[in-house]
Structure formats: structure tokens, C-alpha cells
Amino acid sequence: MAVVYGKEASMWKLQGKESFLQILHRYMEVHGTVYYETQRPPEVPAFVKNHGLLPQHELQQLLRKAKLFIGFGFPYEGPAPLEAIANGCIFLQPKFHPPHSSLNHEFFRGKPTSREVSSQHPYAEQYIGKPHVMTVDYNNSLEFDSAIREIMRTKVEPYLPYEYTCEGMLERVHAYIQHQDFCALEPPFIPANLSRQGSAGGSRITGPLFVPLPNSTALGWVSNVTAPAAWPPLSSLRLLVSQEGQSCVEACQSAGFICEPAHFRFINNKEALRGLEVQCEVVDSEINHILPAFSVVRQECGLQREPLLFSCAGHSPKYRRLCPCRDFRRGQVALCRDCL
């Protein structure tokens, strides 16, 4: 049996849902938990066994009986898919072509973000994945049908990512509290008086700040330079360059890292451009959420003037961005490998 992720009748009004629900109905009983007062919501197909709005413990019981938990594409990034996976369901969700953003979707329109959402639950897609999570194009009937048949053949055990357990949450809170000083003023950019270990105190460095990492296209922070206290530690920093039109979220993910906004202040400088061997005829300081970045064609480089505009999500077809990636712990994405 399958349980549909959609407790409000409005979620069932999505265009094209009838076709993929009919495919699903050929293989499984379809159950819903749609709220209604006096009569069955007209948006819910007749073959759906609707339980109405369930108390939490009854919903958990229903999920434990089900094979599949299927999303309609909204709401984004809710907790219900994680609950379903923890109760032994496979979560099937739609892939968005193109990704939803403030440029093409009403939900995000007007919100001050450049973020692009590739599926209903990007975390589940990227950090859980198969066999517990399947992300497919609902508009492709053959792909959807194939996914349902694969789900019918697949057996999974209940699964909860470590970071969503009580222990994982406490580990995260402990790291945040122990390694951050919330009262200290943080300089917005890298200070000019960095020094090498063993040199005269406070003297300006003369060598590179960033060095190539072994077996990687990324650069790392040079180890013998004394830097201001930072968390996540600078040992986790991986400096990469995006492609034109690519965000730092995508650039870091493609290299197996995660974009770390806290590291922007360490790469927003000419030393980072030199380390990446970027050719700059001019280097300007501007207020723009895609900076630091550079144009290959015009050989123009831009550094960020307003630290509040540092953004992992911004992108431009004319610029390649400098991206402050970091490594992360498996099962605890919020923490780098040296963060504990």
C-alpha cells in the first residue's frame, strides 16, 4: 500500500496528478490523510482510501503498514518524508525541471533568495537516496511506472539518518556551543596582518594563502599561516571555481563537498584569485550576491563589499564564482570532519 503526502485538499489539485495516481493504483492500494469536515474532498480520486486527518500515533501506525510514501511536490522539505522513511517506507518524490526558484515559482516569488530546489525534499534526494528515496520525473509515465515496479521489488529496513537522532542533534548543539564565541566581533574580511608561523609578529605574509590539495582540483588553506580563530576550522576549507551559470551549491556538490558561507570571508581577496591563477585586468569591489567571481571573457574580477550578501546559491551566466566548499561528516552534514 501507498500513503500520499498531502493532508490538505489543495495539494491534490496539482495538474497532471491523475495520470501518475492511476499508474500507482494499478500496483498498490492508495491511502490518503486528507482533512475534510462533512463530505469527501472532491479533489481526492474515488479509489483513494481516505482516513481523514489522523492523530500522530495513528499516522505512525499507517506508515508502518505501508510500502510507499509518495509526495506531490509540496510542501517543500517537510518532516513527514523522514518520518515515513524511519517507519520503513520508501519515499517517492518528483524531480523539478527546471528547479523551483524565485524566478519561476509562485511559492518563492518575492522572497530574497537565489536558491534553486531540485526536488520536493533535496536533503532526502542527496543525503539519503536509494533505496530509501527515489526521485523521478512525474511527467514521464514510463519513468514513473518503472520506479513503482522497482519499489515493489525493493525491501528496505526503517532508516533514520544519524543527524536526525537525539544523539546526533545533541552532538551538533555541543559542537556549535563549544567552538563558537557568540560575543566576539568577527571581522567581515580576512585581516591584512596575517603572519607565517615563526615570523616576526604581525608581519604581512609574502607567499600564497592557498595551495593545491593532493588528488583534488580544490585548493586548501596553507597550514603555516596563523589565521584568526574560525569555525568551521580552516582545515575544512576547499576553494573551488564554479562554471559559468553554476552556483557554489552545485560546484561544491559536484566535487563531493558542501558550500560553507562562513568561509567566504577567507576567499574574498586577491590571494584567492592568484591561487586559482585567474587573469584579472581589473579587480573591483562591489555589492553583488554572486561575488567573489570573475569573467573569463572580459578578464574582470569582483570582490564582495557587503558581507551580508555572501551567497552559496547565486549564479550568473557571465561569471565563474569563487566557492568556499568544505568537507562534511557522513550522517552529520552540518559538521566538517575536524569539527568535533
Side-chain angles (χ1 to χ4, degrees):
M1 58 184 272
V3 176
V4 176
Y5 183 16
K7 62 185 178 182
E8 295 181 12
S10 60
M11 298 176 186
W12 293 70
K13 295 179 181 179
L14 298 173
Q15 190 175 11
K17 66 168 178 56
E18 298 85 358
S19 59
F20 66 76
L21 284 178
Q22 286 287 353
I23 295 173
L24 178 61
H25 178 51
R26 291 206 302 264
Y27 295 96
M28 300 185 186
E29 283 185 3
V30 183
H31 293 248
T33 57
V34 188
Y35 172 77
Y36 63 97
E37 291 183 351
T38 57
Q39 61 184 14
R40 181 185 185 86
E43 296 83 4
V44 180
F47 58 77
V48 175
K49 297 183 178 181
N50 187 32
H51 299 260
L53 201 59
L54 293 177
Q56 183 68 7
H57 70 281
E58 292 184 22
L59 175 61
Q60 300 286 337
Q61 291 173 357
L62 183 64
L63 292 173
R64 281 193 286 272
K65 296 176 184 176
K67 174 83 173 179
L68 171 66
F69 189 63
I70 180 169
F72 277 165
F74 189 84
Y76 301 105
E77 302 176 304
L82 299 173
E83 292 179 341
I85 295 166
N87 279 290
C89 291
I90 293 173
F91 176 50
L92 179 64
Q93 63 170 345
K95 180 180 288 291
F96 300 146
H97 297 294
H100 291 180
S101 71
S102 59
L103 299 178
N104 62 16
H105 203 272
E106 195 59 40
F107 178 82
F108 295 104
R109 200 178 309 281
K111 294 183 171 70
T113 178
S114 300
R115 186 172 179 235
E116 295 181 329
V117 179
S118 60
S119 61
Q120 182 171 357
H121 207 295
Y123 171 88
E125 176 187 8
Q126 183 180 355
Y127 297 110
I128 300 179
K130 288 185 175 182
H132 301 280
V133 179
M134 294 189 65
T135 306
V136 300
D137 181 2
Y138 280 20
N139 294 317
N140 186 326
S141 297
L142 291 177
E143 184 178 342
F144 186 88
D145 186 277
S146 176
I148 299 298
R149 285 188 279 111
E150 182 178 346
I151 289 168
M152 294 288 288
R153 298 190 301 266
T154 304
K155 292 184 178 181
V156 296
E157 295 295 324
Y159 173 70
L160 184 65
Y162 175 71
E163 52 205 327
Y164 282 96
T165 65
C166 293
E167 181 180 351
M169 182 274 290
L170 290 171
E171 180 182 82
R172 205 158 52 247
V173 171
H174 170 78
Y176 290 157
I177 293 173
Q178 291 298 312
H179 297 289
Q180 295 182 102
D181 184 352
F182 298 103
C183 299
L185 291 176
E186 186 178 88
F189 304 119
I190 185 171
N193 62 344
L194 290 176
S195 64
R196 290 191 177 276
Q197 295 171 9
S199 65
S203 62
R204 177 88 175 134
I205 62 168
T206 56
L209 282 179
F210 303 94
V211 293
L213 295 171
N215 303 318
S216 175
T217 58
L219 302 182
W221 183 266
V222 67
S223 59
N224 64 343
V225 170
T226 303
W231 198 85
L234 284 172
S235 60
S236 68
L237 173 59
R238 304 289 183 264
L239 174 58
L240 284 174
V241 176
S242 76
Q243 299 299 318
E244 284 95 345
Q246 187 182 44
S247 70
C248 284
V249 172
E250 297 168 314
C252 294
Q253 283 181 359
S254 64
F257 303 124
I258 191 168
C259 185
E260 177 51 68
H263 284 333
F264 264 114
R265 66 190 181 103
F266 293 101
I267 70 164
N268 186 53
N269 49 57
K270 294 180 181 179
E271 285 80 4
L273 293 167
R274 278 196 287 268
L276 293 166
E277 299 181 351
V278 176
Q279 301 299 317
C280 303
E281 288 191 0
V282 61
V283 180
D284 288 329
S285 178
E286 302 175 26
I287 297 177
N288 190 315
H289 72 295
I290 68 164
L291 300 178
F294 63 92
S295 168
V296 176
V297 176
R298 296 192 298 272
Q299 294 190 344
E300 294 177 354
C301 301
L303 300 178
Q304 180 62 257
R305 191 189 306 171
E306 174 49 74
L308 292 176
L309 283 184
F310 283 138
S311 167
C312 287
H315 59 84
S316 167
K318 299 178 181 179
Y319 285 89
R320 300 183 68 182
R321 301 196 58 199
L322 276 61
C323 297
C325 309
R326 67 161 168 83
D327 56 28
F328 58 89
R329 303 175 70 87
R330 185 171 177 82
Q332 188 72 286
V333 178
L335 300 180
C336 65
R337 291 173 188 165
D338 295 336
C339 280
L340 290 179

PDB file of all heavy atoms in Angstrom, residues 308-337:
ATOM      1  N   LEU A 308      27.041  40.735   4.180  1.00  0.00           N
ATOM      2  CA  LEU A 308      25.699  40.165   4.353  1.00  0.00           C
ATOM      3  C   LEU A 308      25.163  39.558   3.063  1.00  0.00           C
ATOM      4  O   LEU A 308      24.156  38.839   3.086  1.00  0.00           O
ATOM      5  CB  LEU A 308      24.728  41.237   4.867  1.00  0.00           C
ATOM      6  CG  LEU A 308      24.967  41.739   6.286  1.00  0.00           C
ATOM      7  CD1 LEU A 308      23.991  42.864   6.622  1.00  0.00           C
ATOM      8  CD2 LEU A 308      24.826  40.607   7.299  1.00  0.00           C
ATOM      9  N   LEU A 309      25.819  39.840   1.932  1.00  0.00           N
ATOM     10  CA  LEU A 309      25.354  39.311   0.648  1.00  0.00           C
ATOM     11  C   LEU A 309      26.132  38.075   0.193  1.00  0.00           C
ATOM     12  O   LEU A 309      25.901  37.593  -0.915  1.00  0.00           O
ATOM     13  CB  LEU A 309      25.432  40.396  -0.438  1.00  0.00           C
ATOM     14  CG  LEU A 309      24.344  41.459  -0.411  1.00  0.00           C
ATOM     15  CD1 LEU A 309      24.490  42.395  -1.604  1.00  0.00           C
ATOM     16  CD2 LEU A 309      22.957  40.824  -0.431  1.00  0.00           C
ATOM     17  N   PHE A 310      27.016  37.553   0.999  1.00  0.00           N
ATOM     18  CA  PHE A 310      27.669  36.297   0.644  1.00  0.00           C
ATOM     19  C   PHE A 310      26.603  35.228   0.433  1.00  0.00           C
ATOM     20  O   PHE A 310      25.750  35.008   1.302  1.00  0.00           O
ATOM     21  CB  PHE A 310      28.630  35.841   1.749  1.00  0.00           C
ATOM     22  CG  PHE A 310      29.935  36.588   1.762  1.00  0.00           C
ATOM     23  CD1 PHE A 310      30.498  36.996   2.963  1.00  0.00           C
ATOM     24  CD2 PHE A 310      30.611  36.858   0.587  1.00  0.00           C
ATOM     25  CE1 PHE A 310      31.715  37.664   2.990  1.00  0.00           C
ATOM     26  CE2 PHE A 310      31.833  37.534   0.597  1.00  0.00           C
ATOM     27  CZ  PHE A 310      32.385  37.936   1.805  1.00  0.00           C
ATOM     28  N   SER A 311      26.644  34.553  -0.709  1.00  0.00           N
ATOM     29  CA  SER A 311      25.588  33.602  -1.053  1.00  0.00           C
ATOM     30  C   SER A 311      26.161  32.377  -1.741  1.00  0.00           C
ATOM     31  O   SER A 311      26.910  32.495  -2.716  1.00  0.00           O
ATOM     32  CB  SER A 311      24.555  34.266  -1.977  1.00  0.00           C
ATOM     33  OG  SER A 311      23.691  33.311  -2.559  1.00  0.00           O
ATOM     34  N   CYS A 312      25.787  31.208  -1.249  1.00  0.00           N
ATOM     35  CA  CYS A 312      26.158  29.961  -1.923  1.00  0.00           C
ATOM     36  C   CYS A 312      25.265  29.715  -3.141  1.00  0.00           C
ATOM     37  O   CYS A 312      25.651  28.993  -4.064  1.00  0.00           O
ATOM     38  CB  CYS A 312      26.027  28.782  -0.961  1.00  0.00           C
ATOM     39  SG  CYS A 312      27.321  28.698   0.307  1.00  0.00           S
ATOM     40  N   ALA A 313      24.053  30.294  -3.151  1.00  0.00           N
ATOM     41  CA  ALA A 313      23.058  29.949  -4.163  1.00  0.00           C
ATOM     42  C   ALA A 313      23.132  30.803  -5.422  1.00  0.00           C
ATOM     43  O   ALA A 313      22.628  30.406  -6.467  1.00  0.00           O
ATOM     44  CB  ALA A 313      21.648  30.060  -3.559  1.00  0.00           C
ATOM     45  N   GLY A 314      23.721  31.981  -5.362  1.00  0.00           N
ATOM     46  CA  GLY A 314      23.723  32.879  -6.512  1.00  0.00           C
ATOM     47  C   GLY A 314      24.521  32.334  -7.694  1.00  0.00           C
ATOM     48  O   GLY A 314      25.482  31.591  -7.519  1.00  0.00           O
ATOM     49  N   HIS A 315      24.116  32.706  -8.894  1.00  0.00           N
ATOM     50  CA  HIS A 315      24.862  32.311 -10.089  1.00  0.00           C
ATOM     51  C   HIS A 315      24.574  33.293 -11.212  1.00  0.00           C
ATOM     52  O   HIS A 315      23.577  34.017 -11.205  1.00  0.00           O
ATOM     53  CB  HIS A 315      24.501  30.886 -10.525  1.00  0.00           C
ATOM     54  CG  HIS A 315      23.043  30.683 -10.837  1.00  0.00           C
ATOM     55  ND1 HIS A 315      22.492  30.992 -12.061  1.00  0.00           N
ATOM     56  CD2 HIS A 315      22.026  30.214 -10.078  1.00  0.00           C
ATOM     57  CE1 HIS A 315      21.202  30.714 -12.047  1.00  0.00           C
ATOM     58  NE2 HIS A 315      20.891  30.248 -10.856  1.00  0.00           N
ATOM     59  N   SER A 316      25.471  33.322 -12.201  1.00  0.00           N
ATOM     60  CA  SER A 316      25.338  34.214 -13.342  1.00  0.00           C
ATOM     61  C   SER A 316      25.934  33.537 -14.569  1.00  0.00           C
ATOM     62  O   SER A 316      27.005  32.919 -14.464  1.00  0.00           O
ATOM     63  CB  SER A 316      26.059  35.535 -13.088  1.00  0.00           C
ATOM     64  OG  SER A 316      26.181  36.291 -14.287  1.00  0.00           O
ATOM     65  N   PRO A 317      25.285  33.649 -15.728  1.00  0.00           N
ATOM     66  CA  PRO A 317      25.841  33.037 -16.948  1.00  0.00           C
ATOM     67  C   PRO A 317      27.125  33.712 -17.423  1.00  0.00           C
ATOM     68  O   PRO A 317      27.828  33.156 -18.261  1.00  0.00           O
ATOM     69  CB  PRO A 317      24.713  33.216 -17.973  1.00  0.00           C
ATOM     70  CG  PRO A 317      23.911  34.372 -17.468  1.00  0.00           C
ATOM     71  CD  PRO A 317      23.985  34.299 -15.975  1.00  0.00           C
ATOM     72  N   LYS A 318      27.443  34.888 -16.893  1.00  0.00           N
ATOM     73  CA  LYS A 318      28.621  35.633 -17.338  1.00  0.00           C
ATOM     74  C   LYS A 318      29.827  35.434 -16.429  1.00  0.00           C
ATOM     75  O   LYS A 318      30.937  35.821 -16.797  1.00  0.00           O
ATOM     76  CB  LYS A 318      28.295  37.129 -17.409  1.00  0.00           C
ATOM     77  CG  LYS A 318      27.172  37.485 -18.380  1.00  0.00           C
ATOM     78  CD  LYS A 318      26.896  38.973 -18.345  1.00  0.00           C
ATOM     79  CE  LYS A 318      25.752  39.341 -19.289  1.00  0.00           C
ATOM     80  NZ  LYS A 318      25.442  40.796 -19.244  1.00  0.00           N
ATOM     81  N   TYR A 319      29.626  34.847 -15.252  1.00  0.00           N
ATOM     82  CA  TYR A 319      30.707  34.793 -14.265  1.00  0.00           C
ATOM     83  C   TYR A 319      30.947  33.379 -13.748  1.00  0.00           C
ATOM     84  O   TYR A 319      30.025  32.571 -13.654  1.00  0.00           O
ATOM     85  CB  TYR A 319      30.389  35.705 -13.071  1.00  0.00           C
ATOM     86  CG  TYR A 319      30.553  37.179 -13.366  1.00  0.00           C
ATOM     87  CD1 TYR A 319      29.490  37.923 -13.867  1.00  0.00           C
ATOM     88  CD2 TYR A 319      31.765  37.818 -13.152  1.00  0.00           C
ATOM     89  CE1 TYR A 319      29.630  39.279 -14.148  1.00  0.00           C
ATOM     90  CE2 TYR A 319      31.923  39.168 -13.420  1.00  0.00           C
ATOM     91  CZ  TYR A 319      30.855  39.891 -13.924  1.00  0.00           C
ATOM     92  OH  TYR A 319      31.008  41.226 -14.199  1.00  0.00           O
ATOM     93  N   ARG A 320      32.201  33.131 -13.395  1.00  0.00           N
ATOM     94  CA  ARG A 320      32.576  31.955 -12.635  1.00  0.00           C
ATOM     95  C   ARG A 320      32.828  32.394 -11.195  1.00  0.00           C
ATOM     96  O   ARG A 320      33.551  33.364 -10.958  1.00  0.00           O
ATOM     97  CB  ARG A 320      33.822  31.292 -13.232  1.00  0.00           C
ATOM     98  CG  ARG A 320      33.641  30.837 -14.671  1.00  0.00           C
ATOM     99  CD  ARG A 320      34.875  30.128 -15.193  1.00  0.00           C
ATOM    100  NE  ARG A 320      35.080  28.851 -14.527  1.00  0.00           N
ATOM    101  CZ  ARG A 320      36.112  28.040 -14.770  1.00  0.00           C
ATOM    102  NH1 ARG A 320      37.034  28.409 -15.655  1.00  0.00           N
ATOM    103  NH2 ARG A 320      36.227  26.890 -14.141  1.00  0.00           N
ATOM    104  N   ARG A 321      32.266  31.678 -10.255  1.00  0.00           N
ATOM    105  CA  ARG A 321      32.319  32.097  -8.866  1.00  0.00           C
ATOM    106  C   ARG A 321      33.457  31.419  -8.109  1.00  0.00           C
ATOM    107  O   ARG A 321      33.843  30.294  -8.414  1.00  0.00           O
ATOM    108  CB  ARG A 321      30.996  31.758  -8.167  1.00  0.00           C
ATOM    109  CG  ARG A 321      29.784  32.408  -8.796  1.00  0.00           C
ATOM    110  CD  ARG A 321      28.608  32.346  -7.842  1.00  0.00           C
ATOM    111  NE  ARG A 321      28.940  33.012  -6.586  1.00  0.00           N
ATOM    112  CZ  ARG A 321      28.278  32.807  -5.448  1.00  0.00           C
ATOM    113  NH1 ARG A 321      27.266  31.972  -5.410  1.00  0.00           N
ATOM    114  NH2 ARG A 321      28.628  33.448  -4.343  1.00  0.00           N
ATOM    115  N   LEU A 322      33.992  32.115  -7.109  1.00  0.00           N
ATOM    116  CA  LEU A 322      34.912  31.519  -6.149  1.00  0.00           C
ATOM    117  C   LEU A 322      34.065  30.906  -5.043  1.00  0.00           C
ATOM    118  O   LEU A 322      33.254  31.598  -4.407  1.00  0.00           O
ATOM    119  CB  LEU A 322      35.863  32.568  -5.566  1.00  0.00           C
ATOM    120  CG  LEU A 322      37.125  32.903  -6.383  1.00  0.00           C
ATOM    121  CD1 LEU A 322      36.758  33.472  -7.746  1.00  0.00           C
ATOM    122  CD2 LEU A 322      38.019  33.860  -5.606  1.00  0.00           C
ATOM    123  N   CYS A 323      34.243  29.618  -4.800  1.00  0.00           N
ATOM    124  CA  CYS A 323      33.340  28.890  -3.903  1.00  0.00           C
ATOM    125  C   CYS A 323      34.079  28.352  -2.675  1.00  0.00           C
ATOM    126  O   CYS A 323      35.051  27.599  -2.811  1.00  0.00           O
ATOM    127  CB  CYS A 323      32.684  27.739  -4.652  1.00  0.00           C
ATOM    128  SG  CYS A 323      31.632  28.271  -6.023  1.00  0.00           S
ATOM    129  N   PRO A 324      33.598  28.699  -1.471  1.00  0.00           N
ATOM    130  CA  PRO A 324      34.207  28.196  -0.241  1.00  0.00           C
ATOM    131  C   PRO A 324      33.548  26.880   0.176  1.00  0.00           C
ATOM    132  O   PRO A 324      32.626  26.845   0.994  1.00  0.00           O
ATOM    133  CB  PRO A 324      33.889  29.311   0.764  1.00  0.00           C
ATOM    134  CG  PRO A 324      32.558  29.842   0.292  1.00  0.00           C
ATOM    135  CD  PRO A 324      32.524  29.671  -1.203  1.00  0.00           C
ATOM    136  N   CYS A 325      34.021  25.781  -0.381  1.00  0.00           N
ATOM    137  CA  CYS A 325      33.460  24.474  -0.036  1.00  0.00           C
ATOM    138  C   CYS A 325      34.111  23.964   1.260  1.00  0.00           C
ATOM    139  O   CYS A 325      35.124  24.480   1.703  1.00  0.00           O
ATOM    140  CB  CYS A 325      33.712  23.470  -1.154  1.00  0.00           C
ATOM    141  SG  CYS A 325      33.226  24.053  -2.801  1.00  0.00           S
ATOM    142  N   ARG A 326      33.503  22.937   1.826  1.00  0.00           N
ATOM    143  CA  ARG A 326      34.129  22.246   2.959  1.00  0.00           C
ATOM    144  C   ARG A 326      33.747  20.768   2.912  1.00  0.00           C
ATOM    145  O   ARG A 326      32.760  20.377   2.283  1.00  0.00           O
ATOM    146  CB  ARG A 326      33.717  22.853   4.303  1.00  0.00           C
ATOM    147  CG  ARG A 326      32.258  22.664   4.675  1.00  0.00           C
ATOM    148  CD  ARG A 326      32.050  22.878   6.172  1.00  0.00           C
ATOM    149  NE  ARG A 326      30.654  22.988   6.531  1.00  0.00           N
ATOM    150  CZ  ARG A 326      29.837  21.957   6.731  1.00  0.00           C
ATOM    151  NH1 ARG A 326      30.275  20.727   6.575  1.00  0.00           N
ATOM    152  NH2 ARG A 326      28.576  22.150   7.083  1.00  0.00           N
ATOM    153  N   ASP A 327      34.541  19.961   3.613  1.00  0.00           N
ATOM    154  CA  ASP A 327      34.183  18.557   3.755  1.00  0.00           C
ATOM    155  C   ASP A 327      33.087  18.426   4.814  1.00  0.00           C
ATOM    156  O   ASP A 327      32.721  19.409   5.481  1.00  0.00           O
ATOM    157  CB  ASP A 327      35.415  17.716   4.116  1.00  0.00           C
ATOM    158  CG  ASP A 327      36.120  18.206   5.391  1.00  0.00           C
ATOM    159  OD1 ASP A 327      35.453  18.797   6.259  1.00  0.00           O
ATOM    160  OD2 ASP A 327      37.342  17.990   5.515  1.00  0.00           O
ATOM    161  N   PHE A 328      32.535  17.241   4.976  1.00  0.00           N
ATOM    162  CA  PHE A 328      31.499  17.037   5.986  1.00  0.00           C
ATOM    163  C   PHE A 328      31.550  15.597   6.490  1.00  0.00           C
ATOM    164  O   PHE A 328      32.106  14.698   5.845  1.00  0.00           O
ATOM    165  CB  PHE A 328      30.104  17.373   5.446  1.00  0.00           C
ATOM    166  CG  PHE A 328      29.697  16.585   4.222  1.00  0.00           C
ATOM    167  CD1 PHE A 328      29.060  15.360   4.341  1.00  0.00           C
ATOM    168  CD2 PHE A 328      29.937  17.075   2.949  1.00  0.00           C
ATOM    169  CE1 PHE A 328      28.680  14.636   3.220  1.00  0.00           C
ATOM    170  CE2 PHE A 328      29.562  16.369   1.818  1.00  0.00           C
ATOM    171  CZ  PHE A 328      28.928  15.134   1.957  1.00  0.00           C
ATOM    172  N   ARG A 329      30.959  15.405   7.651  1.00  0.00           N
ATOM    173  CA  ARG A 329      30.915  14.083   8.267  1.00  0.00           C
ATOM    174  C   ARG A 329      29.723  13.311   7.707  1.00  0.00           C
ATOM    175  O   ARG A 329      28.620  13.849   7.620  1.00  0.00           O
ATOM    176  CB  ARG A 329      30.801  14.202   9.792  1.00  0.00           C
ATOM    177  CG  ARG A 329      31.926  15.003  10.428  1.00  0.00           C
ATOM    178  CD  ARG A 329      31.706  15.185  11.920  1.00  0.00           C
ATOM    179  NE  ARG A 329      31.879  13.947  12.648  1.00  0.00           N
ATOM    180  CZ  ARG A 329      33.048  13.505  13.113  1.00  0.00           C
ATOM    181  NH1 ARG A 329      34.151  14.209  12.900  1.00  0.00           N
ATOM    182  NH2 ARG A 329      33.126  12.369  13.772  1.00  0.00           N
ATOM    183  N   ARG A 330      29.925  12.075   7.367  1.00  0.00           N
ATOM    184  CA  ARG A 330      28.830  11.250   6.866  1.00  0.00           C
ATOM    185  C   ARG A 330      27.784  11.071   7.969  1.00  0.00           C
ATOM    186  O   ARG A 330      28.107  10.663   9.085  1.00  0.00           O
ATOM    187  CB  ARG A 330      29.354   9.887   6.414  1.00  0.00           C
ATOM    188  CG  ARG A 330      28.291   9.018   5.763  1.00  0.00           C
ATOM    189  CD  ARG A 330      28.913   7.779   5.134  1.00  0.00           C
ATOM    190  NE  ARG A 330      27.902   6.910   4.564  1.00  0.00           N
ATOM    191  CZ  ARG A 330      27.356   7.081   3.369  1.00  0.00           C
ATOM    192  NH1 ARG A 330      27.746   8.096   2.616  1.00  0.00           N
ATOM    193  NH2 ARG A 330      26.441   6.251   2.908  1.00  0.00           N
ATOM    194  N   GLY A 331      26.546  11.407   7.666  1.00  0.00           N
ATOM    195  CA  GLY A 331      25.483  11.319   8.663  1.00  0.00           C
ATOM    196  C   GLY A 331      25.354  12.546   9.538  1.00  0.00           C
ATOM    197  O   GLY A 331      24.469  12.612  10.388  1.00  0.00           O
ATOM    198  N   GLN A 332      26.259  13.528   9.355  1.00  0.00           N
ATOM    199  CA  GLN A 332      26.194  14.762  10.134  1.00  0.00           C
ATOM    200  C   GLN A 332      26.699  15.896   9.232  1.00  0.00           C
ATOM    201  O   GLN A 332      27.791  16.439   9.413  1.00  0.00           O
ATOM    202  CB  GLN A 332      27.047  14.634  11.398  1.00  0.00           C
ATOM    203  CG  GLN A 332      26.936  15.762  12.399  1.00  0.00           C
ATOM    204  CD  GLN A 332      25.620  15.789  13.152  1.00  0.00           C
ATOM    205  OE1 GLN A 332      24.599  16.161  12.576  1.00  0.00           O
ATOM    206  NE2 GLN A 332      25.628  15.409  14.417  1.00  0.00           N
ATOM    207  N   VAL A 333      25.876  16.238   8.245  1.00  0.00           N
ATOM    208  CA  VAL A 333      26.278  17.158   7.182  1.00  0.00           C
ATOM    209  C   VAL A 333      26.657  18.533   7.723  1.00  0.00           C
ATOM    210  O   VAL A 333      27.500  19.229   7.164  1.00  0.00           O
ATOM    211  CB  VAL A 333      25.138  17.275   6.142  1.00  0.00           C
ATOM    212  CG1 VAL A 333      25.498  18.261   5.048  1.00  0.00           C
ATOM    213  CG2 VAL A 333      24.840  15.912   5.540  1.00  0.00           C
ATOM    214  N   ALA A 334      26.049  18.945   8.839  1.00  0.00           N
ATOM    215  CA  ALA A 334      26.294  20.274   9.381  1.00  0.00           C
ATOM    216  C   ALA A 334      27.703  20.430   9.941  1.00  0.00           C
ATOM    217  O   ALA A 334      28.148  21.557  10.172  1.00  0.00           O
ATOM    218  CB  ALA A 334      25.261  20.587  10.477  1.00  0.00           C
ATOM    219  N   LEU A 335      28.417  19.330  10.148  1.00  0.00           N
ATOM    220  CA  LEU A 335      29.738  19.385  10.764  1.00  0.00           C
ATOM    221  C   LEU A 335      30.805  18.896   9.801  1.00  0.00           C
ATOM    222  O   LEU A 335      30.602  17.906   9.081  1.00  0.00           O
ATOM    223  CB  LEU A 335      29.772  18.553  12.041  1.00  0.00           C
ATOM    224  CG  LEU A 335      28.799  18.938  13.159  1.00  0.00           C
ATOM    225  CD1 LEU A 335      28.970  18.016  14.347  1.00  0.00           C
ATOM    226  CD2 LEU A 335      28.976  20.393  13.566  1.00  0.00           C
ATOM    227  N   CYS A 336      31.962  19.556   9.801  1.00  0.00           N
ATOM    228  CA  CYS A 336      33.094  19.108   8.997  1.00  0.00           C
ATOM    229  C   CYS A 336      33.816  17.976   9.740  1.00  0.00           C
ATOM    230  O   CYS A 336      33.539  17.681  10.907  1.00  0.00           O
ATOM    231  CB  CYS A 336      34.048  20.261   8.718  1.00  0.00           C
ATOM    232  SG  CYS A 336      34.871  20.936  10.190  1.00  0.00           S
ATOM    233  N   ARG A 337      34.791  17.368   9.070  1.00  0.00           N
ATOM    234  CA  ARG A 337      35.481  16.212   9.670  1.00  0.00           C
ATOM    235  C   ARG A 337      36.289  16.610  10.897  1.00  0.00           C
ATOM    236  O   ARG A 337      36.463  15.791  11.814  1.00  0.00           O
ATOM    237  CB  ARG A 337      36.396  15.574   8.618  1.00  0.00           C
ATOM    238  CG  ARG A 337      35.629  14.887   7.506  1.00  0.00           C
ATOM    239  CD  ARG A 337      36.540  14.414   6.387  1.00  0.00           C
ATOM    240  NE  ARG A 337      35.760  13.938   5.254  1.00  0.00           N
ATOM    241  CZ  ARG A 337      36.249  13.727   4.054  1.00  0.00           C
ATOM    242  NH1 ARG A 337      37.540  13.968   3.810  1.00  0.00           N
ATOM    243  NH2 ARG A 337      35.480  13.287   3.084  1.00  0.00           N
TER     244      ARG A 337
END
